[in-house]
Amino acid sequence: MLEMKTWRTLATALALIAAPLAFAQSTPDKAMRIIAAGPPGGTLDVVARLLAEGLQRELDRSVIVEAKPGGGGAVAVNDLMQAPRDGNTMVVTLDALVSEIPHIIKLRYDMAKEVKPIAELARGGLVLVGNPSLPARNLPELITYVKANPGKVSYASYSAGTVSHVMGLQLNKAAGIDMSHVAYKGTPPALVDVMGGHVPLMFAGIPNAVPLVKSGKIVPYAVSLPQRSPNLPNVPTFTELGYPQLEALAWVGLWLTPDVPAAAQNRLREAAMKVMAQPAMRDRLTEFGLAPGQPRTPDELTKSLHADYERIGAVLKAIDFKPE
């Protein structure tokens, strides 16, 4: 019951963040629409609403946000495919849409061809966390403990085939340990089970983990970022601890279909980059556990997606992973 209360409190807090950012819809032919590929109050919804708030001022247009979770972003993309290709409808979702999800789910669309990232809005990483009952307070102690208990320690992921799963496989190989994997359908139920001691470890998104770390409900061991997280300044990076192969970033992007006119793509990219670069916006992202996005070009983003797709695919192929 305590764990569920914690998640109700977290959900309420996220809803309060998102609530002031709702926008009144004006006439449909003048409104722009952002489809957030996640649940209301979640990370993608919050980033989408922050962007919408800024675009409304920057472009002097009404902007509405619709949360459409499901299928790792596939539900949101399906909606995008049905919309006019004029740049007035866009999707906010994670890079996993192209780099991870096609390995996990048999999709209707070839995401690498059907959608195009035009701007990186925010980025974040994962943190390895554990139940406080574990007799380890840092990563070296944890690895020693797992080695002393072969086959007895498991870790959760928010879905099989995602970076949350792959990082455990990489740590197994790098540290010479044998943690077993337990897949969940989403982060909240996985973290509830970590807090309850049903599964001892998890690679969790930093925004989801921070409130629970600060309340002492879970223990952090290392973050996957290149530098320490401002939200967890006392938690070292995997690279600091000698595991650079576990450095991993996820980023939230603004996506269109490639056939949207180039002028509309450029206008949206320019406006989005301007909005997300504002100091107040960067501060709000940091408070939420995210870092500001980098000014990479669409071509640079696309190349990074291809590289990540190949890297993750190689790890999953080694364990003979098959999509659902």
Side-chain angles (χ1 to χ4, degrees), residues 90-141:
M90 60 211 86
V91 165
V92 167
T93 192
L94 289 167
D95 56 328
L97 177 71
V98 172
S99 63
E100 297 176 20
I101 301 303
H103 291 301
I104 305 168
I105 306 170
K106 293 179 180 178
L107 297 170
R108 177 180 176 185
Y109 301 109
D110 182 343
M111 293 301 183
K113 295 179 179 178
E114 300 292 347
V115 291
K116 175 184 177 180
I118 63 166
E120 180 186 325
L121 305 175
R123 53 173 48 190
L126 275 66
V127 55
L128 175 59
V129 296
N131 184 280
S133 66
L134 283 169
R137 287 298 176 267
N138 55 56
L139 188 62
E141 290 180 358

Side-chain angles (χ1 to χ4, degrees), residues 45-257:
D45 186 50
V46 170
V47 173
R49 290 178 185 278
L50 290 174
L51 175 64
E53 181 184 40
L55 287 181
Q56 185 164 266
R57 293 192 302 266
E58 185 68 25
L59 299 176
D60 194 25
R61 297 276 301 278
S62 176
V63 184
I64 60 173
V65 175
E66 297 178 12
K68 294 205 170 182
V75 172
V77 169
N78 185 65
D79 193 337
L80 178 68
M81 295 296 177
Q82 311 310 313
R85 310 299 176 88
D86 56 8
N88 286 322
T89 303
M90 60 211 86
V91 165
V92 167
T93 192
L94 289 167
D95 56 328
L97 177 71
V98 172
S99 63
E100 297 176 20
I101 301 303
H103 291 301
I104 305 168
I105 306 170
K106 293 179 180 178
L107 297 170
R108 177 180 176 185
Y109 301 109
D110 182 343
M111 293 301 183
K113 295 179 179 178
E114 300 292 347
V115 291
K116 175 184 177 180
I118 63 166
E120 180 186 325
L121 305 175
R123 53 173 48 190
L126 275 66
V127 55
L128 175 59
V129 296
N131 184 280
S133 66
L134 283 169
R137 287 298 176 267
N138 55 56
L139 188 62
E141 290 180 358
L142 179 65
I143 290 171
T144 298
Y145 172 73
V146 176
K147 285 183 176 180
N149 293 273
K152 297 180 180 179
V153 180
S154 58
Y155 74 97
S157 75
Y158 44 74
S159 181
T162 63
V163 67
S164 179
H165 175 195
V166 168
M167 286 188 68
L169 300 176
Q170 292 177 310
L171 184 58
N172 275 347
K173 182 177 180 180
I177 55 179
D178 63 346
M179 297 183 298
S180 58
H181 171 241
V182 181
Y184 283 79
K185 293 184 176 180
T187 294
L191 280 175
V192 166
D193 273 7
V194 173
M195 288 186 290
H198 303 294
V199 58
L201 298 165
M202 181 184 182
F203 288 88
I206 290 175
N208 299 102
V210 165
L212 303 177
V213 170
K214 291 185 175 179
S215 64
K217 293 180 171 59
I218 54 178
V219 174
Y221 293 105
V223 297
S224 71
L225 299 170
Q227 296 86 30
R228 295 192 182 197
S229 167
N231 302 85
L232 298 169
N234 296 322
V235 181
T237 68
F238 280 104
T239 299
E240 283 181 70
L241 297 172
Y243 300 99
Q245 59 271 70
L246 271 79
E247 183 177 304
L249 280 169
W251 50 271
V252 179
L254 181 64
W255 307 69
L256 297 170
T257 55

Side-chain angles (χ1 to χ4, degrees), residues 282-300:
R282 297 168 76 91
D283 289 344
R284 292 170 82 175
L285 288 175
T286 300
E287 290 171 5
F288 193 62
L290 297 169
Q294 298 298 304
R296 293 188 289 173
T297 67
D299 283 347
E300 289 172 334

